[in-house]
Amino acid sequence: MTTTIADDLTQDSDDLTQGSLPILLRRYGGKTAWYAFAIGLALFVLAPIVLFYSRAFGDGAAAIRNLTDVPNLATILVNTIALAAGATVVAAVLAVTLAVLVMRVPVRWRGLAAFLPQLPLVIPPVASIVGWIFIFAPTVGYGNTLLRSLPFFDRMSEGPVDVYSMPAIIIITGTELTGIVFAFVFARMHEISGSLVAAAKLSGASAFRSFTTITLPLLRPSLVASLVVAFLLGLGQFTAPLLLGSADGIDVLTTEIFHIREKFPIDYAATAALGLPLLILGIGSILVQRAVIGDQRRYVTQGVGGNVSTQTSRWALAGVVSYSFVTCVLPLLAITLVAFSPFWNGDLTNLLFTTKHVETTLSNPIVSGAVWNSITTSVIAAVIVLPLGFIGALVMSGVVKSPRPIQYILDFVFVGPLAVPRAMLGLSVLYVFLRPPFNLYGTLTLFVVGYVFIVLPFSLRSQHASLVGMHSSLFEASRICGAGQLRTILDIALPLAKRGMAASLAVMIVLLSHDFAVSVMLRSPGNHVMGTAIFEFWEGGVYPQVAVMALVMSAVTGILLAVTVWIGGRSALQNM
């Protein structure tokens, strides 16, 4: 018996060495293994979402019928769509402009210039929003105080900029989303073959005509994908409307749902009913994206990219640096001033500094525990999701031959969470996993599960992009030479996907370390991550501690990103 088992193991090892993975798959189930993996992942990801939203249809859809009783529901819906559409337009204009500017930056500075538009992604959104509050709060904002010292504004007692208004919420949200849109657009622009643009110019086309007839059409998949992502994130915006809109009664669907979540017991049926329009709009946006883009391979160009613009200018670098200064440095400076000032009064003429608030905040056990919990849960979630994204990328790019239904299932599973706003994802996880047999309420495991839902779509994107742009002849040649799927994966697909893996890891760590929406929805007494800690300080109205916590979140995110870059190399930044 022992000899037989040893012989079988030896034969399996030989099969793996020779790259005969299909033989082993057929021996141990073949297609059944693929279906088991895809269906199992679908149940984990989609079942909680379906179970949660099904509450809206309980008792004869009573919760949906009762939506008419929600005060100002029409205004809330209009605010939600206006925020998503407006922020998407702002992000699209800024991102395309920045991408064009970066391509015109001198080559020696282009690497730095390509990272600067994505720098706002490193700063936690809640920290950035708090910074803009310190700058443009109507009465004591540093920026408004300076503006009121100028002519035309010197007779005003507050303003002239109101950070607690809908236009301010749209602009701030749009600048937050710009980094994501830029990442999509610039990565594709850098891959476009420069020979195509050069040929157009040789044919007499102007730079503008070359951009509109060649570059822009080839950007179509990345641009459409990024706009859909931005629109979906805009629909699910929670942090900016909660912190900025509450002061003037500006609500969107996510903040209205949050108000219901704060009541005990939680009316899950009402929250699910309110979230249905967001789900419908999210699914519709993804379907539109797929219809517009179609087969992404139609947009793959062969040749050397990166030369879309041959003219360089230092003014382009100045424009990119100025954008980064306004969106990143100014909010951080305002936060730092409040953190190290005895009190926040907006007066820049008589500044006093103290470390009292920093010492008090850092000595708070809630802060140290929140930092450790955020790091631990973020790393665990990223480690879980990264290999799942690689498997999905193998299937979706055609490197691994799998049944066609498997591709559809995995595609839907990875994209599905993107259609659900993060606040609703948090509620879905809370609803399902606090009940038997899981009983995860009050545990850090609940945060890990919620974080897995957040980053699942992003774990696939960069890795899939690394593989789908490669010509299929590479993998076909490997099979013709006798290599099986395992050998093809290890020797060809894995090296090609390393840059995408590094980028995925960087994106996941950044997103998770400063998550706010899911964390606030999953919070429980005694368990804090950085997002819940800063929210607790915010509710207490202790603004210097809010400022210190915002600096802590930014520092932790930066350190985690630096470690990720050290592990994955500069590609982690270049492909974010």
Side-chain angles (χ1 to χ4, degrees):
M1 176 69 70
T2 303
T3 303
T4 302
I5 294 175
D7 292 342
D8 290 342
L9 291 175
T10 302
Q11 180 60 42
D12 290 349
S13 178
D14 292 341
D15 287 340
L16 285 171
T17 302
Q18 298 170 6
S20 301
L21 184 59
I23 297 176
L24 294 181
L25 288 177
R26 285 194 297 268
R27 183 179 300 171
Y28 297 114
K31 295 181 180 180
T32 305
W34 279 116
Y35 279 106
F37 170 77
I39 294 175
L41 188 61
L43 287 175
F44 172 77
V45 175
L46 300 180
I49 298 173
V50 173
L51 288 174
F52 170 72
Y53 279 103
S54 67
R55 289 298 305 270
F57 299 94
D59 296 328
I64 297 177
R65 295 198 306 271
N66 293 335
L67 285 178
T68 55
D69 298 332
V70 177
N72 302 317
L73 180 60
T75 302
I76 292 172
L77 286 171
V78 170
N79 288 343
T80 302
I81 296 175
L83 173 58
T88 301
V89 171
V90 171
V93 172
L94 289 176
V96 174
T97 302
L98 288 168
V100 173
L101 287 177
V102 170
M103 295 305 298
R104 293 178 62 86
V105 169
V107 176
R108 61 180 298 188
W109 300 107
R110 192 169 295 173
L112 174 63
F115 173 66
L116 288 178
Q118 300 175 78
L119 190 57
L121 296 176
V122 181
I123 301 175
V126 63
S128 178
I129 292 168
V130 167
W132 288 116
I133 291 174
F134 293 153
I135 294 173
F136 288 122
T139 55
V140 293
Y142 293 119
N144 276 328
T145 301
L146 287 175
L147 289 174
R148 288 198 298 269
S149 66
L150 300 176
F152 305 107
F153 301 126
D154 54 345
R155 295 185 179 182
M156 300 180 68
S157 59
E158 61 179 40
V161 179
D162 185 7
V163 75
Y164 301 117
S165 63
M166 193 64 184
I169 296 173
I170 290 174
I171 293 173
I172 291 174
T173 302
T175 56
E176 290 177 7
L177 298 177
T178 297
I180 296 176
V181 179
F182 174 85
F184 280 82
V185 172
F186 181 72
R188 179 64 189 130
M189 184 177 289
H190 198 267
E191 293 172 353
I192 294 174
S193 176
S195 60
L196 297 176
V197 178
K201 292 182 178 180
L202 287 174
S203 300
S206 64
F208 178 77
R209 185 171 180 81
S210 297
F211 178 79
T212 56
T213 58
I214 295 179
T215 304
L216 195 58
L218 290 175
L219 285 176
R220 178 179 168 184
S222 295
L223 188 58
V224 171
S226 64
L227 293 183
V228 169
V229 170
F231 184 74
L232 293 177
L233 294 177
L235 283 175
Q237 271 298 302
F238 174 69
T239 309
L242 181 66
L243 300 184
L244 300 178
S246 299
D248 282 355
I250 300 174
D251 276 316
V252 294
L253 285 174
T254 52
T255 56
E256 184 67 24
I257 289 168
F258 173 74
H259 297 324
I260 297 175
R261 183 254 186 249
E262 291 298 279
K263 300 175 182 178
F264 186 83
I266 302 174
D267 190 347
Y268 287 105
T271 57
L274 276 172
L276 276 176
L278 296 176
L279 181 66
I280 293 171
L281 286 171
I283 294 175
S285 299
I286 292 175
L287 293 177
V288 169
Q289 171 192 338
R290 297 303 170 85
V292 172
I293 294 177
D295 184 7
Q296 293 191 40
R297 294 184 184 275
R298 293 183 300 159
Y299 305 93
V300 175
T301 61
Q302 304 298 321
V304 179
N307 296 312
V308 175
S309 175
T310 57
Q311 299 177 349
T312 60
S313 170
R314 292 184 178 181
W315 288 108
L317 177 61
V320 176
V321 172
S322 299
Y323 170 82
S324 300
F325 179 82
V326 171
T327 56
C328 299
V329 178
L330 284 183
L332 287 178
L333 282 177
I335 293 170
T336 304
L337 280 177
V338 175
F340 287 93
S341 298
F343 46 85
W344 172 38
N345 61 3
D347 186 7
L348 291 172
T349 61
N350 188 25
L351 292 176
L352 299 175
F353 296 100
T354 178
T355 60
K356 179 182 65 175
H357 302 302
V358 176
E359 294 170 357
T360 301
T361 305
L362 295 182
S363 62
N364 191 331
I366 290 179
V367 174
S368 58
V371 170
W372 175 250
N373 290 341
S374 288
I375 295 174
T376 304
T377 52
S378 298
V379 171
I380 292 175
V383 169
I384 291 173
V385 171
L386 189 64
L388 296 178
F390 180 63
I391 295 174
L394 291 175
V395 173
M396 300 304 299
S397 62
V399 174
V400 171
K401 300 300 181 182
S402 62
R404 179 67 64 177
I406 298 299
Q407 299 181 25
Y408 293 135
I409 294 174
L410 290 180
D411 187 20
F412 192 69
V413 167
F414 278 97
V415 177
L418 197 60
V420 184
R422 291 183 187 175
M424 305 305 298
L425 281 178
L427 275 178
S428 301
V429 172
L430 185 67
Y431 173 70
V432 172
F433 289 93
L434 62 78
R435 301 169 181 274
F438 305 105
N439 298 317
L440 296 182
Y441 184 76
T443 68
L444 292 179
T445 306
L446 191 64
F447 286 105
V448 174
V449 174
Y451 290 170
V452 166
F453 278 76
I454 293 176
V455 296
L456 196 65
F458 299 94
S459 69
L460 174 68
R461 183 182 68 85
S462 295
Q463 298 184 73
H464 178 253
S466 298
L467 296 176
V468 75
M470 298 300 155
H471 201 278
S472 58
S473 60
L474 289 173
F475 309 108
E476 294 171 359
S478 174
R479 298 187 186 103
I480 292 174
C481 293
Q485 288 192 11
L486 182 61
R487 178 63 61 83
T488 301
I489 292 172
L490 295 178
D491 292 350
I492 298 180
L494 187 59
L496 290 175
K498 280 184 177 179
R499 296 184 66 177
M501 283 184 171
S504 292
L505 186 60
V507 170
M508 289 190 289
I509 290 297
V510 168
L511 289 175
L512 296 181
S513 61
H514 57 52
D515 172 71
F516 183 79
V518 171
S519 299
V520 168
M521 289 296 183
L522 296 179
R523 77 190 193 282
S524 59
N527 278 324
H528 281 289
V529 291
M530 291 189 293
T532 63
I534 196 171
F535 182 68
E536 185 168 297
F537 293 145
W538 175 269
E539 282 192 312
V542 188
Y543 294 112
Q545 289 189 352
V546 173
V548 175
M549 193 65 214
L551 290 178
V552 170
M553 290 184 70
S554 301
V556 171
T557 303
I559 292 171
L560 289 175
L561 180 61
V563 173
T564 304
V565 172
W566 177 68
I567 295 174
R570 290 187 62 187
S571 57
L573 290 179
Q574 295 170 351
N575 292 274
M576 277 185 63

